[in-house]
Amino acid sequence: MTGRQVLKEQFGAEAEGMFDVIVVGAGPAGAAAAYWLGEAGCRVLILEKAWLPRYKPCGGAVPAGGLKLLPFDFAPIVQTWVRRVRYSLDGHEDVSYDLPGPGVAMVMRDRFDAFLVAQSRAEVRDGVAVEAVVEDEAGVTVKAATGESLRGRYLIGADGANSRVAWALGLRRARIFTGAIEAEAPAPAHLLAEYANTGLFRFRSVHYGYAWVFPKGDHLSIGVGGFIKDRLDLRGALRREAQRLGLSLDGVPIHGHPLPIYCYPEPVHSRRTLLVGDAAGMVDGFIGEGIRYAIHSGRLAAQTILTGDIAGYSRLIQRELGHNLTWARRCGHVFYRFTDFCFHHGVRNPRTTRVLIDVLNGRRTYRDAVWPVLGCIVESLMRGI
Ligand SMILES: Cc1cc2nc3c(=O)[nH]c(=O)nc-3n(C[C@H](O)[C@H](O)[C@H](O)COP(=O)(O)OP(=O)(O)OC[C@H]3O[C@@H](n4cnc5c(N)ncnc54)[C@H](O)[C@@H]3O)c2cc1C
């Protein structure tokens, strides 16, 4: 049975002009959900408030395991691969390691997101901001800023950290935001060569967070993110990071966006609406990763609509992703509170990076990573004695 037949069985004949699913937001979460629903034969409409392709402030780091969640060849839109990682403790100490496996893909989000949307069979309408959502027995009515009303049997809220859909339905009212800012900085040839396949993480350059330098082929992405709300001087930290590299950010636009950190299980669905990605608060509180969780939650939402078990969606999200994200936040709390200790006895051990890469590729959870990392720390302490 196709997805359309499944939905017809659930609801009977479709009304004129009604979509099976309306997806609000054309980021990776919405595009992934639209892709899987389209593959199952559903009639899907994506509404996106920006004109596509649109810029999205993001480091654009996607582990190979994140790309594997979708059956596409991403080669045309990967800027470069990070195969070596460099860690620094506020500029005083540096260690670097080669990454196992293919490494981490570096993408520009305008190209990446547009590529994902193009793979879906959805009808796409950009430049349409959703303002209100009303659910009823037979479906969902979405009201757009253009004045139109659109009907769907189901709605997927993939509209990011400041989700209008979540707000309209009274979901995620107590969300916790931190923030990150980023600049796409032109760099001289020697710096582009130095960072060609290397990603830098500098800890303690900002309170409870880190600064990064990621290669993007013809420029560098320099950014800073923090994982608690207070005492975040992100702009100051970004400027310091640029100075360290000998770069000027004069005239370079600096973009920021909230990070909706996952904190605890909470409802991310209502009668006919499912939240995905940042709209559902799916950002890791240790390193700020969100793209992989966006894609994964998009797939879970599509599966849920096709099986009709809407009531089980929030539980499914918690089981499949939320549990891991809770542990990410716990690891973040320990790491950023005891950064010096964790750096000297954990980060400096190459095995810790291998464990983290396993987590990023979905081969282990943060919880499963705790014991091996503790093992690295004990080993380091014993060596000291
Ligand atoms: C500075 C920064 C750096 C980051 N770096 C990384 C990184 O390196 N790796 C990583 O994995 N994660 C990173 N993240 C997190 C990552 O960007 C997000 O987790 C990811 O974009 C979530 O995808 P999404 O599809 O849920 O939402 P988004 O990508 O935010 O997409 C939401 C879409 O919805 C649209 N929209 C919003 N409101 C409406 C509306 N009312 N009507 C219609 N459309 C609407 C928006 O225009 C947008 O296109 C970073 C975040 C920041 C802020």
Side-chain angles (χ1 to χ4, degrees), residues 8-31:
K8 237 181 211 165
E9 277 221 338
Q10 287 177 40
F11 296 107
E14 70 199 54
E16 186 67 27
M18 181 139 170
F19 289 90
D20 293 327
V21 184
I22 297 179
V23 177
V24 183

Side-chain angles (χ1 to χ4, degrees), residues 24-30 47-50 54 56-61 109 113 128-130 158-160 164 180-182 212 214 257-259 276-279 283 288-292 294:
V24 183
L47 297 176
E48 164 58 52
K49 82 170 171 190
R54 57 95 181 89
K56 164 81 176 79
C58 186
R109 288 290 303 279
D113 294 11
V128 178
V130 167
D159 48 344
R164 189 78 183 194
I181 61 171
E182 191 243 9
W212 71 81
F214 291 161
H257 204 68
L259 290 175
V276 291
D278 276 16
V283 172
E289 190 195 6
I291 299 170
R292 187 166 55 101

Side-chain angles (χ1 to χ4, degrees), residues 78-145:
V78 171
Q79 304 283 119
T80 184
W81 285 86
V82 160
R83 302 186 201 281
R84 190 167 175 77
V85 67
R86 197 169 132 200
Y87 304 108
S88 166
L89 190 60
D90 202 17
H92 299 306
E93 308 201 28
D94 274 23
V95 281
S96 19
Y97 306 113
D98 288 332
L99 296 180
V104 177
M106 291 288 138
V107 302
M108 286 303 293
R109 288 290 303 279
D110 50 354
R111 294 183 69 210
F112 181 75
D113 294 11
F115 175 81
L116 293 185
V117 170
Q119 310 303 312
S120 76
R121 296 163 197 234
E123 189 177 317
V124 183
R125 293 187 51 193
D126 53 358
V128 178
V130 167
E131 288 203 322
V133 173
V134 182
E135 294 186 325
D136 56 52
E137 277 306 311
V140 189
T141 304
V142 167
K143 294 188 176 142

